[in-house]
Amino acid sequence: MNSFSLIVWLHVFAGIIWIGLLYYFNFVQVPAMADAAADSDGPGPAAIGKYVAPRALLWFRWGAVATWLTGAGALSYVGGFTTHMFFTDGITIIGIGAWLGTIMLFNVWVLIWPNQKKVLGMVEATDDEKAKAKKIAFMASRTNTLLSIPMLMCMVGWGHGGLPF
């Protein structure tokens, strides 16, 4: 296996972890937390919030970093990182995908993670701060879910000669 193949393999692997957990949070955990909070006979949301969410968030945020770093490494093999990230030779499909991934990485580390720490009680916060943090984390996570589709289409499109539309 050559260096480029290894980097792409690692990029895809890390991306599956990152985007898989993004979809898990948005389509499984958030509704499950609401159901757990409404269930007076169940264990409550603390079971998820205390044991599952912190571990999933660990893999989520580091999966984002690994995806971005391996993607940047892969870009260096296909015309150069600066060529695609800064559009020095014009806009490229993979460059658009890389920028979407960069925005998503920013959302993970600047909006989602700091606010989830408040929501989950990992850092001290008042009830008002927790309510605000929940909204910010929710919106950033939903934004990433929406951005993930065009980002993935750009990545696939680049490898197959363009977008299919």
Side-chain angles (χ1 to χ4, degrees), residues 37-49:
D39 184 0
S40 61
D41 296 328
I48 298 169

Side-chain angles (χ1 to χ4, degrees), residues 9 32 52 68 86-87 103 113 121 141:
W9 190 92
V52 177
W68 195 92
F86 300 106
F87 307 123
I103 293 165
W113 174 234
S141 187

Side-chain angles (χ1 to χ4, degrees), residues 32-98:
M33 291 283 273
D35 291 346
D39 184 0
S40 61
D41 296 328
I48 298 169
K50 184 176 181 181
Y51 299 104
V52 177
R55 182 172 294 169
L57 282 164
L58 174 81
W59 281 93
F60 175 68
R61 66 183 187 274
W62 289 108
V65 169
T67 303
W68 195 92
L69 288 174
T70 55
L75 282 178
S76 70
Y77 279 93
V78 294
F81 178 80
T82 52
T83 299
H84 294 293
M85 287 298 291
F86 300 106
F87 307 123
T88 57
D89 287 341
I91 295 176
T92 62
I93 291 172
I94 201 166
I96 293 168

Side-chain angles (χ1 to χ4, degrees), residues 104-163:
M104 292 169 64
L105 176 70
F106 175 89
N107 286 346
V108 168
W109 282 93
V110 176
L111 299 174
I112 297 170
W113 174 234
N115 286 293
Q116 279 296 344
K117 288 192 291 187
K118 292 176 186 174
V119 171
L120 296 172
M122 299 168 88
V123 298
E124 285 191 40
T126 66
D127 288 343
D128 287 342
E129 290 171 330
K130 286 180 185 179
K132 182 179 177 186
K134 186 175 183 179
K135 288 179 186 176
I136 292 169
F138 177 82
M139 291 305 295
S141 187
R142 289 295 162 96
T143 297
N144 275 8
T145 301
L146 291 172
L147 291 178
S148 71
I149 301 301
M151 185 265 311
L152 289 168
M153 290 299 294
C154 287
M155 296 299 149
V156 171
W158 174 82
H160 295 281
L163 293 176

Side-chain angles (χ1 to χ4, degrees), residues 9-20:
W9 190 92
L10 291 171
H11 182 61
V12 170
F13 178 70
I16 290 169
I17 291 169
W18 179 20
I19 302 304

